[in-house]
Amino acid sequence: MFDPEKFVDEKVNELKEQIQDKAVIGVSGGVDSTVAAVLASRAIGDQLVAVYVDTGFMRKGETEFVGDMLDKLGVNFRIYKAGDEYFEALSGIIEPEEKRRIIGEKFIRNFEAVAKEEKARYLVQGTIAPDWIESGGGLRDTIKSHHNVGALPKDMDLTLIEPLRDIYKDEVRKVARFLGVPVAERQPFPGPGLAVRILGECTHEATDIVREACAIVEEEIDSASDKGDMERPWQYFAALLPVKSVGVQGDVRAYGYTIVVRAVQSIDGMTAAYSKIPHHVLQRISERITNTMGDRVNRVVYDITNKPPGTIEWE
Ligand code: XMP
């Protein structure tokens, strides 16, 4: 049986021995990087600097949420706001892999800059066992090039420390619960953030729309799941299509965008089945989205595709 208390004791001691100077860690607000940051912080205190890069494609309220959480957990952190840079670099880009490449590269450059400023000598990462086991295979076709806070480049001239590399997600969640990390049960969120939920160009307008729509989908599905009206999906969000259609608002013709609601059940994200959301929940989501953003969005559709043949995210 995995014992989180024993694991924490052992790792904190090990980290104390391994890290002799300043260390940095990239935190995303996900469970792996947060747990790794808390362990390192318990070992070396403020010698650790956790870095959260705000790319401008974060969920609604996310930057404040992560800052608040790290504060409460006693982790020394920095928020690096770089949104303008990312929007500029993505201007005119519509090809998904191109978007992923630009965001991934920028993220690494931003992180490097902070590590240099902090004069860090160690890089702590929240890599877990499946991360390196899967990437060792090399047999699978690259469907999407993942950008992951847990996979910063190894050529940074920093000593790499990976306290979670021998454990699996369910064990990380146990450690998170033991440490009082409030993101133990959080749904996954892609590294490139909302950018891969915007089909077409990532303008400020598109980002605002998808951010609001994602928040509505999360709130309504959380509330229906809490009430027992439905099984909580593994992941649930909205994507924005660059397709405009004709609608009517009041008695005036409208011409607005389309939001797709996506919710899936999955074990590990490798395959997925679309969630059978009750119709009254879908209806509330649709009404809230069109009521809040009726001037820009006049159609809401539900994605009933499994993975395969679809993927979970739309890009
Ligand atoms: P797809 O869309 O490939 O997604 O079916 C499978 C799972 O991975 C998440 N995802 C990512 N996670 N960096 C990540 O850390 C990424 O670049 C990335 N792209 C997709 C996706 O949200 C789903 O949970």
Side-chain angles (χ1 to χ4, degrees):
M1 256 298 268
F2 178 77
D3 178 351
E5 186 171 1
K6 188 159 162 266
F7 178 84
V8 169
D9 272 354
E10 279 174 11
K11 280 296 156 189
V12 170
N13 283 331
E14 208 175 291
L15 289 166
K16 274 185 190 156
E17 279 171 24
Q18 285 172 325
I19 311 179
Q20 301 301 336
D21 204 342
K22 263 195 133 172
V24 281
I25 179 169
V27 287
S28 62
V31 62
D32 303 344
S33 61
T34 308
V35 166
V38 174
L39 292 176
S41 162
R42 288 203 173 180
I44 61 164
D46 288 356
Q47 289 274 83
L48 176 78
V49 183
V51 183
Y52 171 91
V53 178
D54 181 347
T55 62
F57 293 104
M58 321 311 280
R59 271 183 276 209
K60 189 176 178 183
E62 182 72 359
T63 302
E64 298 72 21
F65 172 81
V66 173
D68 198 42
M69 170 175 74
L70 294 174
D71 234 1
K72 285 193 180 122
L73 291 166
V75 175
N76 179 31
F77 70 96
R78 265 181 75 168
I79 290 181
Y80 190 89
K81 280 199 182 269
D84 292 348
E85 246 181 70
Y86 286 77
F87 277 106
E88 208 168 292
L90 288 172
S91 159
I93 307 293
I94 54 169
E95 211 280 310
E97 277 299 292
E98 186 71 1
K99 280 187 195 172
R100 284 176 170 271
R101 190 186 59 72
I102 292 170
I103 296 172
E105 263 183 38
K106 270 218 163 297
F107 186 90
I108 287 165
R109 297 288 91 83
N110 289 153
F111 191 82
E112 269 177 343
V114 177
K116 217 171 177 173
E117 254 175 56
E118 296 290 340
K119 300 192 173 60
R121 277 186 50 214
Y122 295 86
L123 172 65
V124 182
Q125 285 194 160
T127 323
I128 65 172
D131 295 342
W132 59 271
I133 292 168
E134 276 172 22
S135 62
L139 291 173
R140 284 214 318 267
D141 185 27
T142 304
I143 296 165
K144 300 177 184 184
S145 51
H146 273 209
H147 152 72
N148 196 331
V149 176
L152 289 160
K154 311 264 190 289
D155 63 357
M156 280 177 65
D157 205 23
L158 295 169
T159 306
L160 186 63
I161 310 268
E162 297 175 314
L164 310 179
R165 66 174 280 120
D166 294 327
I167 63 173
Y168 287 82
K169 201 78 177 188
D170 56 320
E171 294 164 332
V172 180
R173 291 195 204 282
K174 285 183 187 155
V175 177
R177 278 181 224 120
F178 173 74
L179 292 170
V181 169
V183 290
E185 332 293 335
R186 233 173 170 205
Q187 60 161 317
F189 187 67
L194 299 176
V196 294
R197 296 179 177 173
I198 297 165
L199 284 86
E201 192 180 352
C202 296
T203 60
H204 282 286
E205 184 194 29
T207 312
D208 289 346
I209 294 174
V210 87
R211 179 179 288 126
E212 191 58 39
C214 278
I216 292 171
V217 170
E218 280 193 38
E219 280 167 26
E220 291 302 327
I221 290 188
D222 279 337
S223 145
S225 312
D226 289 345
K227 277 192 257 171
D229 284 356
M230 60 181 283
E231 186 186 356
R232 191 182 306 275
W234 189 74
Q235 200 170 2
Y236 40 110
F237 56 89
L240 174 67
L241 303 190
V243 176
K244 277 188 157 182
S245 68
V246 175
V248 56
Q249 211 190 9
D251 45 14
V252 182
R253 178 187 187 274
Y255 191 48
Y257 289 108
T258 309
I259 283 286
V260 183
V261 177
R262 181 77 164 138
V264 295
Q265 288 302 351
S266 177
I267 303 287
D268 53 10
M270 301 297 291
T271 59
Y274 78 86
S275 294
K276 315 303 182 274
I277 304 181
H279 275 263
H280 73 274
V281 180
L282 285 171
Q283 184 174 330
R284 262 196 69 81
I285 290 172
S286 165
E287 282 169 3
R288 273 190 67 192
I289 290 175
T290 49
N291 284 343
T292 331
M293 299 184 284
D295 52 335
R296 292 164 293 169
V297 178
N298 59 357
R299 222 167 271 273
V300 177
V301 299
Y302 187 49
D303 181 355
I304 52 168
T305 323
N306 294 335
K307 173 184 181 175
T311 52
I312 296 176
E313 303 289 345
W314 271 55
E315 285 197 340

